[in-house]
Amino acid sequence: MKLQLLSLRRAHATALAAVSAALAFGLAAPAHARAEAHTGAHAANPTLREVAARTGRFVGTAVNDGRLGDGTYANIAKSEFSSVTAENAMKWGSVEPNRGQFNWAAADRLVSFAQANNQKVYGHTLVWHSQMPGWLENGSFSSTELRTIMTNHVTTQVTRYKGKVQRWDVVNEAFNENGTLRGSKFYNQLGQSYIADAFRAARAADPSAKLFINDYNTEGTNAKSDGLYNLVKSLKAQGVPIDGVGFQSHLIVGQVPSTMKANLQRFADLGVDVVLSELDIRMSTPADAAKLQQQANDYKTVARNCLAVARCAGITVWGFGDRDSWVPGTFPGQGAANLYDTNYQPKPAYNAFRDGLAGS
């Protein structure tokens, strides 16, 4: 192996020398030298999606529809990631602003972007207590009518993207921090059964899509992840078609849960896939070298935790550039949570994350 690497390095160096020499004299470099130089440089700097693919994982990013017109943003999104998630374009308030009247423009753009760039689509999200349209959030419905509204919405959206969206967050953020079910509009009227009904409707609409439940602060072992674990175990026992669990992983520098790997494994042992669905790692700003190094270490640790669990299918980062991050607007005084800085230059976290995705 060492001899092979040495030979490759020598070939790459020879090719680069040929290119440099040709340029120095105003000549065109030999085609084989240009090709070898490009191949060598590419091999030394593989993309995130290339590295992740070697271990059978996807690596994804949330995409802000309004940013796709920026060439730098779009180029990073398509070259580095094998999966895309709509940051907002597939949420209920975006796609059904008026009852029975759908606006698919932004969601369709994301799907077209993914298809053009050989990417999978992770649909986010079908049933959630937040970002509901006003007619739903403020409306008064009988329990029968509300259940019909929910199942019709799930059925319509999943049917539209049948065969085009490979994974769906069917139910999002269903839990309180103490492990009890959140008192959402759906839970308060329909009880826990709304969760199973949503999954059954999604499965009927697209039998090939993988169906997930998704939540935050569940990455390590705690009361909330225990509640989620017990629900998934119960749903599986009832034959509800749940295929996976998404762990959002909105983390803080230096605070990756020590029980993360074991927690992912216990869910996987229930017979479901696990994914890290919304990863970012925020810090108190301004950033400095020490914080950026700790962040890099944390990104690598998270990637290695996924690789250590056979059923961890992949990781989605919640955006890749600090300029687009949701964090500063939600957590004042915190930010710098992503792999790229505000100028879309890779931070230490980028290389560390890539190393983590590569495994041993």
Short mmCIF file of all heavy atoms in Angstrom, two decimals, residues 157-199:
data_model
loop_
_atom_site.label_atom_id
_atom_site.label_comp_id
_atom_site.label_asym_id
_atom_site.label_seq_id
_atom_site.Cartn_x
_atom_site.Cartn_y
_atom_site.Cartn_z
N GLN A 157 -49.53 15.43 -0.38
CA GLN A 157 -48.13 15.82 -0.54
C GLN A 157 -47.24 14.63 -0.88
O GLN A 157 -46.39 14.72 -1.78
CB GLN A 157 -47.62 16.51 0.73
CG GLN A 157 -46.23 17.12 0.56
CD GLN A 157 -45.92 18.15 1.63
OE1 GLN A 157 -46.77 18.51 2.44
NE2 GLN A 157 -44.68 18.63 1.64
N VAL A 158 -47.44 13.53 -0.21
CA VAL A 158 -46.60 12.36 -0.49
C VAL A 158 -46.90 11.81 -1.87
O VAL A 158 -45.99 11.38 -2.59
CB VAL A 158 -46.78 11.29 0.61
CG1 VAL A 158 -45.99 10.03 0.28
CG2 VAL A 158 -46.33 11.84 1.97
N THR A 159 -48.16 11.83 -2.28
CA THR A 159 -48.53 11.35 -3.62
C THR A 159 -47.87 12.20 -4.70
O THR A 159 -47.38 11.67 -5.71
CB THR A 159 -50.05 11.37 -3.80
OG1 THR A 159 -50.65 10.48 -2.84
CG2 THR A 159 -50.43 10.93 -5.20
N ARG A 160 -47.84 13.51 -4.51
CA ARG A 160 -47.24 14.39 -5.52
C ARG A 160 -45.77 14.03 -5.76
O ARG A 160 -45.29 14.08 -6.90
CB ARG A 160 -47.33 15.85 -5.10
CG ARG A 160 -46.68 16.78 -6.14
CD ARG A 160 -46.90 18.25 -5.83
NE ARG A 160 -46.34 19.10 -6.87
CZ ARG A 160 -46.94 19.42 -8.00
NH1 ARG A 160 -48.16 18.95 -8.24
NH2 ARG A 160 -46.36 20.20 -8.89
N TYR A 161 -45.07 13.66 -4.71
CA TYR A 161 -43.64 13.40 -4.83
C TYR A 161 -43.31 11.91 -4.75
O TYR A 161 -42.17 11.54 -4.45
CB TYR A 161 -42.88 14.20 -3.77
CG TYR A 161 -43.04 15.68 -3.98
CD1 TYR A 161 -43.77 16.46 -3.09
CD2 TYR A 161 -42.50 16.31 -5.11
CE1 TYR A 161 -43.94 17.82 -3.30
CE2 TYR A 161 -42.66 17.67 -5.32
CZ TYR A 161 -43.38 18.42 -4.42
OH TYR A 161 -43.55 19.77 -4.64
N LYS A 162 -44.29 11.09 -5.06
CA LYS A 162 -44.06 9.65 -5.05
C LYS A 162 -42.91 9.30 -6.00
O LYS A 162 -42.89 9.71 -7.17
CB LYS A 162 -45.33 8.91 -5.50
CG LYS A 162 -45.20 7.40 -5.48
CD LYS A 162 -46.52 6.74 -5.88
CE LYS A 162 -46.42 5.22 -5.84
NZ LYS A 162 -47.71 4.57 -6.22
N GLY A 163 -41.95 8.57 -5.49
CA GLY A 163 -40.79 8.19 -6.29
C GLY A 163 -39.74 9.27 -6.42
O GLY A 163 -38.66 9.02 -6.97
N LYS A 164 -40.03 10.47 -5.93
CA LYS A 164 -39.09 11.59 -6.03
C LYS A 164 -38.51 12.00 -4.69
O LYS A 164 -37.43 12.59 -4.64
CB LYS A 164 -39.79 12.79 -6.67
CG LYS A 164 -40.29 12.55 -8.08
CD LYS A 164 -41.04 13.76 -8.63
CE LYS A 164 -41.55 13.50 -10.03
NZ LYS A 164 -42.31 14.68 -10.57
N VAL A 165 -39.23 11.71 -3.61
CA VAL A 165 -38.74 11.95 -2.26
C VAL A 165 -38.49 10.59 -1.62
O VAL A 165 -39.41 9.77 -1.52
CB VAL A 165 -39.75 12.77 -1.43
CG1 VAL A 165 -39.32 12.82 0.03
CG2 VAL A 165 -39.88 14.17 -2.00
N GLN A 166 -37.25 10.36 -1.21
CA GLN A 166 -36.87 9.03 -0.73
C GLN A 166 -37.13 8.85 0.77
O GLN A 166 -37.33 7.73 1.23
CB GLN A 166 -35.39 8.77 -1.05
CG GLN A 166 -35.12 8.50 -2.51
CD GLN A 166 -35.27 9.74 -3.39
OE1 GLN A 166 -34.92 10.85 -2.99
NE2 GLN A 166 -35.78 9.56 -4.60
N ARG A 167 -37.10 9.95 1.52
CA ARG A 167 -37.34 9.88 2.96
C ARG A 167 -38.24 11.04 3.37
O ARG A 167 -38.11 12.15 2.85
CB ARG A 167 -36.02 9.99 3.75
CG ARG A 167 -35.06 8.83 3.54
CD ARG A 167 -33.74 9.07 4.31
NE ARG A 167 -32.84 7.93 4.19
CZ ARG A 167 -31.99 7.73 3.19
NH1 ARG A 167 -31.93 8.62 2.21
NH2 ARG A 167 -31.21 6.67 3.17
N TRP A 168 -39.16 10.76 4.30
CA TRP A 168 -40.05 11.80 4.81
C TRP A 168 -39.96 11.89 6.33
O TRP A 168 -39.99 10.85 7.02
CB TRP A 168 -41.51 11.50 4.47
CG TRP A 168 -41.93 11.81 3.07
CD1 TRP A 168 -42.12 10.93 2.04
CD2 TRP A 168 -42.23 13.11 2.54
NE1 TRP A 168 -42.52 11.60 0.91
CE2 TRP A 168 -42.59 12.94 1.18
CE3 TRP A 168 -42.23 14.42 3.08
CZ2 TRP A 168 -42.96 14.01 0.37
CZ3 TRP A 168 -42.58 15.47 2.25
CH2 TRP A 168 -42.95 15.26 0.92
N ASP A 169 -39.86 13.10 6.87
CA ASP A 169 -40.17 13.32 8.28
C ASP A 169 -41.68 13.42 8.36
O ASP A 169 -42.27 14.46 8.03
CB ASP A 169 -39.54 14.62 8.78
CG ASP A 169 -38.05 14.49 9.04
OD1 ASP A 169 -37.60 13.36 9.28
OD2 ASP A 169 -37.35 15.52 9.02
N VAL A 170 -42.31 12.33 8.76
CA VAL A 170 -43.77 12.28 8.79
C VAL A 170 -44.31 13.09 9.97
O VAL A 170 -45.21 13.92 9.82
CB VAL A 170 -44.26 10.83 8.85
CG1 VAL A 170 -45.79 10.78 8.93
CG2 VAL A 170 -43.77 10.04 7.64
N VAL A 171 -43.77 12.86 11.14
CA VAL A 171 -44.17 13.58 12.35
C VAL A 171 -42.92 14.23 12.94
O VAL A 171 -41.89 13.58 13.10
CB VAL A 171 -44.85 12.65 13.37
CG1 VAL A 171 -45.14 13.39 14.67
CG2 VAL A 171 -46.14 12.08 12.79
N ASN A 172 -43.03 15.50 13.28
CA ASN A 172 -41.88 16.28 13.73
C ASN A 172 -42.12 16.86 15.12
O ASN A 172 -43.19 17.42 15.38
CB ASN A 172 -41.65 17.43 12.73
CG ASN A 172 -40.32 18.11 12.89
OD1 ASN A 172 -39.29 17.46 12.98
ND2 ASN A 172 -40.33 19.44 12.92
N GLU A 173 -41.15 16.67 16.00
CA GLU A 173 -41.13 17.30 17.32
C GLU A 173 -42.41 17.03 18.12
O GLU A 173 -43.10 17.94 18.57
CB GLU A 173 -40.88 18.80 17.18
CG GLU A 173 -39.52 19.08 16.53
CD GLU A 173 -39.25 20.56 16.29
OE1 GLU A 173 -40.09 21.41 16.65
OE2 GLU A 173 -38.18 20.87 15.72
N ALA A 174 -42.67 15.76 18.33
CA ALA A 174 -43.90 15.35 19.02
C ALA A 174 -43.75 15.32 20.54
O ALA A 174 -44.75 15.09 21.24
CB ALA A 174 -44.34 13.96 18.53
N PHE A 175 -42.54 15.56 21.06
CA PHE A 175 -42.29 15.34 22.49
C PHE A 175 -41.93 16.60 23.25
O PHE A 175 -41.30 17.52 22.72
CB PHE A 175 -41.17 14.31 22.67
CG PHE A 175 -41.64 12.90 22.49
CD1 PHE A 175 -41.64 12.32 21.23
CD2 PHE A 175 -42.12 12.15 23.55
CE1 PHE A 175 -42.09 11.02 21.04
CE2 PHE A 175 -42.57 10.86 23.38
CZ PHE A 175 -42.57 10.29 22.13
N ASN A 176 -42.31 16.60 24.53
CA ASN A 176 -41.81 17.57 25.51
C ASN A 176 -40.46 17.08 26.04
O ASN A 176 -40.09 15.90 25.87
CB ASN A 176 -42.79 17.71 26.68
CG ASN A 176 -44.14 18.24 26.25
OD1 ASN A 176 -44.22 19.25 25.55
ND2 ASN A 176 -45.21 17.58 26.69
N GLU A 177 -39.77 17.96 26.74
CA GLU A 177 -38.44 17.60 27.26
C GLU A 177 -38.50 16.49 28.31
O GLU A 177 -37.53 15.76 28.50
CB GLU A 177 -37.76 18.84 27.85
CG GLU A 177 -37.46 19.93 26.83
CD GLU A 177 -36.61 19.45 25.67
OE1 GLU A 177 -35.51 18.93 25.93
OE2 GLU A 177 -37.05 19.56 24.51
N ASN A 178 -39.63 16.36 28.98
CA ASN A 178 -39.74 15.32 30.02
C ASN A 178 -40.16 13.96 29.47
O ASN A 178 -40.39 13.03 30.23
CB ASN A 178 -40.69 15.77 31.12
CG ASN A 178 -42.13 15.92 30.64
OD1 ASN A 178 -42.44 15.64 29.48
ND2 ASN A 178 -43.01 16.37 31.53
N GLY A 179 -40.28 13.87 28.14
CA GLY A 179 -40.60 12.58 27.54
C GLY A 179 -42.08 12.32 27.33
O GLY A 179 -42.46 11.27 26.82
N THR A 180 -42.93 13.29 27.70
CA THR A 180 -44.35 13.16 27.41
C THR A 180 -44.64 13.74 26.04
O THR A 180 -43.86 14.53 25.50
CB THR A 180 -45.20 13.89 28.46
OG1 THR A 180 -44.85 15.28 28.45
CG2 THR A 180 -44.93 13.31 29.85
N LEU A 181 -45.77 13.37 25.47
CA LEU A 181 -46.13 13.88 24.15
C LEU A 181 -46.57 15.33 24.24
O LEU A 181 -47.31 15.72 25.16
CB LEU A 181 -47.23 13.02 23.53
CG LEU A 181 -46.75 11.66 23.00
CD1 LEU A 181 -47.91 10.73 22.71
CD2 LEU A 181 -45.91 11.85 21.73
N ARG A 182 -46.10 16.12 23.29
CA ARG A 182 -46.39 17.55 23.25
C ARG A 182 -47.89 17.80 23.03
O ARG A 182 -48.54 17.13 22.23
CB ARG A 182 -45.60 18.17 22.10
CG ARG A 182 -45.78 19.68 21.94
CD ARG A 182 -45.18 20.16 20.65
NE ARG A 182 -43.74 19.99 20.60
CZ ARG A 182 -42.85 20.89 21.02
NH1 ARG A 182 -43.28 22.03 21.55
NH2 ARG A 182 -41.56 20.66 20.92
N GLY A 183 -48.40 18.80 23.72
CA GLY A 183 -49.82 19.16 23.58
C GLY A 183 -50.06 19.99 22.33
O GLY A 183 -50.46 21.16 22.41
N SER A 184 -49.86 19.39 21.18
CA SER A 184 -50.09 20.08 19.91
C SER A 184 -51.57 20.07 19.56
O SER A 184 -52.38 19.41 20.22
CB SER A 184 -49.31 19.37 18.79
OG SER A 184 -49.86 18.08 18.57
N LYS A 185 -51.92 20.78 18.51
CA LYS A 185 -53.31 20.78 18.05
C LYS A 185 -53.77 19.37 17.75
O LYS A 185 -54.90 18.99 18.08
CB LYS A 185 -53.43 21.65 16.80
CG LYS A 185 -54.87 21.87 16.32
CD LYS A 185 -54.92 22.77 15.12
CE LYS A 185 -56.35 23.18 14.78
NZ LYS A 185 -56.89 24.21 15.68
N PHE A 186 -52.89 18.57 17.16
CA PHE A 186 -53.27 17.21 16.78
C PHE A 186 -53.39 16.30 18.00
O PHE A 186 -54.36 15.55 18.13
CB PHE A 186 -52.24 16.64 15.79
CG PHE A 186 -52.10 17.48 14.55
CD1 PHE A 186 -51.01 18.33 14.39
CD2 PHE A 186 -53.07 17.46 13.56
CE1 PHE A 186 -50.88 19.12 13.27
CE2 PHE A 186 -52.95 18.26 12.43
CZ PHE A 186 -51.85 19.09 12.28
N TYR A 187 -52.42 16.37 18.90
CA TYR A 187 -52.47 15.51 20.09
C TYR A 187 -53.64 15.88 20.99
O TYR A 187 -54.34 15.00 21.51
CB TYR A 187 -51.16 15.61 20.86
CG TYR A 187 -51.15 14.77 22.12
CD1 TYR A 187 -51.00 13.38 22.04
CD2 TYR A 187 -51.33 15.34 23.37
CE1 TYR A 187 -51.02 12.59 23.18
CE2 TYR A 187 -51.35 14.57 24.52
CZ TYR A 187 -51.19 13.18 24.42
OH TYR A 187 -51.21 12.42 25.55
N ASN A 188 -53.87 17.17 21.17
CA ASN A 188 -54.93 17.59 22.09
C ASN A 188 -56.31 17.14 21.63
O ASN A 188 -57.18 16.86 22.47
CB ASN A 188 -54.92 19.12 22.24
CG ASN A 188 -53.73 19.60 23.05
OD1 ASN A 188 -53.09 18.82 23.76
ND2 ASN A 188 -53.40 20.88 22.94
N GLN A 189 -56.52 17.05 20.32
CA GLN A 189 -57.83 16.62 19.82
C GLN A 189 -57.90 15.15 19.47
O GLN A 189 -58.92 14.50 19.69
CB GLN A 189 -58.21 17.45 18.58
CG GLN A 189 -58.93 18.74 18.92
CD GLN A 189 -59.67 19.30 17.73
OE1 GLN A 189 -59.27 20.32 17.19
NE2 GLN A 189 -60.77 18.66 17.35
N LEU A 190 -56.81 14.61 18.95
CA LEU A 190 -56.85 13.25 18.41
C LEU A 190 -56.14 12.23 19.29
O LEU A 190 -56.31 11.03 19.09
CB LEU A 190 -56.21 13.23 17.01
CG LEU A 190 -56.79 14.23 16.01
CD1 LEU A 190 -56.03 14.14 14.69
CD2 LEU A 190 -58.28 13.99 15.80
N GLY A 191 -55.36 12.70 20.26
CA GLY A 191 -54.61 11.78 21.08
C GLY A 191 -53.42 11.21 20.32
O GLY A 191 -53.13 11.59 19.18
N GLN A 192 -52.75 10.26 20.93
CA GLN A 192 -51.53 9.69 20.35
C GLN A 192 -51.78 9.02 19.01
O GLN A 192 -50.86 8.90 18.20
CB GLN A 192 -50.94 8.67 21.34
CG GLN A 192 -49.65 8.04 20.88
CD GLN A 192 -49.04 7.14 21.96
OE1 GLN A 192 -49.09 7.46 23.14
NE2 GLN A 192 -48.51 5.99 21.55
N SER A 193 -53.01 8.64 18.72
CA SER A 193 -53.30 7.93 17.47
C SER A 193 -53.00 8.74 16.22
O SER A 193 -52.86 8.18 15.13
CB SER A 193 -54.76 7.47 17.45
OG SER A 193 -55.63 8.59 17.42
N TYR A 194 -52.89 10.08 16.37
CA TYR A 194 -52.60 10.89 15.17
C TYR A 194 -51.27 10.49 14.55
O TYR A 194 -51.10 10.58 13.33
CB TYR A 194 -52.63 12.38 15.52
CG TYR A 194 -51.35 12.98 16.00
CD1 TYR A 194 -50.42 13.51 15.11
CD2 TYR A 194 -51.05 13.03 17.37
CE1 TYR A 194 -49.23 14.08 15.56
CE2 TYR A 194 -49.87 13.60 17.82
CZ TYR A 194 -48.96 14.11 16.92
OH TYR A 194 -47.79 14.67 17.37
N ILE A 195 -50.34 10.04 15.37
CA ILE A 195 -49.01 9.69 14.87
C ILE A 195 -49.10 8.45 13.97
O ILE A 195 -48.61 8.45 12.83
CB ILE A 195 -48.04 9.45 16.04
CG1 ILE A 195 -47.88 10.75 16.85
CG2 ILE A 195 -46.69 8.94 15.54
CD1 ILE A 195 -47.06 10.59 18.12
N ALA A 196 -49.74 7.41 14.46
CA ALA A 196 -49.89 6.20 13.66
C ALA A 196 -50.68 6.47 12.38
O ALA A 196 -50.35 5.96 11.30
CB ALA A 196 -50.56 5.10 14.48
N ASP A 197 -51.72 7.30 12.49
CA ASP A 197 -52.54 7.61 11.31
C ASP A 197 -51.72 8.34 10.25
O ASP A 197 -51.88 8.07 9.04
CB ASP A 197 -53.73 8.47 11.72
CG ASP A 197 -54.79 7.68 12.47
OD1 ASP A 197 -54.73 6.44 12.46
OD2 ASP A 197 -55.68 8.32 13.08
N ALA A 198 -50.87 9.26 10.67
CA ALA A 198 -50.04 9.98 9.72
C ALA A 198 -49.08 9.04 8.99
O ALA A 198 -48.90 9.14 7.76
CB ALA A 198 -49.26 11.09 10.44
N PHE A 199 -48.49 8.12 9.72
CA PHE A 199 -47.57 7.16 9.09
C PHE A 199 -48.30 6.23 8.13
O PHE A 199 -47.80 5.93 7.04
CB PHE A 199 -46.84 6.34 10.17
CG PHE A 199 -45.60 7.02 10.70
CD1 PHE A 199 -45.67 7.87 11.79
CD2 PHE A 199 -44.37 6.83 10.09
CE1 PHE A 199 -44.53 8.51 12.27
CE2 PHE A 199 -43.23 7.45 10.55
CZ PHE A 199 -43.31 8.30 11.65
#
